[in-house]
Amino acid sequence: MKNVTSWLLQELMGSEGHQKATIRDCAPGEAIFRVGDPGDYLAVLLTGSIEIRKNDKVISVVEPGCMFGEMGIIDGQPRVADAFAKTQSRIAEVREGQFMSLLQATPYFALAVMRLLTDRFRRQTQT
């Protein structure tokens, strides 16, 4: 997965202690979300490692600086995969209002999300 740029991490953490995202600590093995859960936020992994699983098969490992769970916030549909903390992890949850603000304020954020989706689509369709 592609890493988000440092400006996005700075935007999420805010300035002067005003965070624009909810920070969540996750223990190893903890479910971040499961198939069927509401897709009401995207997450950016700040530290640790996250496994994305489909039918108990690991389909991706998320590294720090990467976004995951973005499909649900875009289309409003439930989660289609599970996400579990592989190690002690910290994520930034970006809710819909925050997501829309980022899209309006920083076109580069929209481009980063489009590139992420395109990258995933290419990897799934390559044989």
Side-chain angles (χ1 to χ4, degrees), residues 11 16 20-22 44 54 73-74 77 80 99 104 106 108 110 113 117:
E11 282 290 317
E16 302 172 13
K20 296 182 181 178
T22 302
V44 177
K54 184 76 173 175
I73 201 166
I74 292 171
Q77 298 296 309
V80 297
F99 181 72
Q104 291 174 347
T106 53
Y108 295 112
V113 172
L117 292 171

Side-chain angles (χ1 to χ4, degrees), residues 10-77:
Q10 290 172 350
E11 282 290 317
L12 294 176
M13 299 311 291
S15 60
E16 302 172 13
H18 295 29
Q19 294 176 341
K20 296 182 181 178
T22 302
I23 306 303
R24 178 175 159 197
D25 290 311
C26 305
E30 182 179 338
I32 314 295
F33 53 76
R34 294 182 182 271
V35 170
D37 286 352
D40 55 357
Y41 67 90
L42 73 80
V44 177
L45 182 60
L46 303 174
T47 62
S49 180
I50 304 292
E51 288 183 343
I52 307 298
R53 301 178 191 166
K54 184 76 173 175
N55 299 322
D56 294 325
K57 178 183 175 190
V58 176
I59 58 172
S60 183
V61 176
V62 182
E63 299 173 356
C66 292
M67 286 185 280
F68 63 101
E70 71 291 332
M71 286 177 21
I73 201 166
I74 292 171
D75 66 8
Q77 298 296 309

Side-chain angles (χ1 to χ4, degrees), residues 62-114:
V62 182
E63 299 173 356
C66 292
M67 286 185 280
F68 63 101
E70 71 291 332
M71 286 177 21
I73 201 166
I74 292 171
D75 66 8
Q77 298 296 309
R79 304 289 183 189
V80 297
D82 301 315
F84 287 90
K86 184 175 179 182
T87 63
Q88 183 66 36
S89 302
R90 176 171 275 190
I91 63 172
E93 295 179 354
V94 180
R95 303 284 171 179
E96 186 174 5
Q98 298 158 326
F99 181 72
M100 295 305 290
S101 292
L102 283 167
L103 289 175
Q104 291 174 347
T106 53
Y108 295 112
F109 175 66
L111 185 59
V113 172
M114 287 187 280

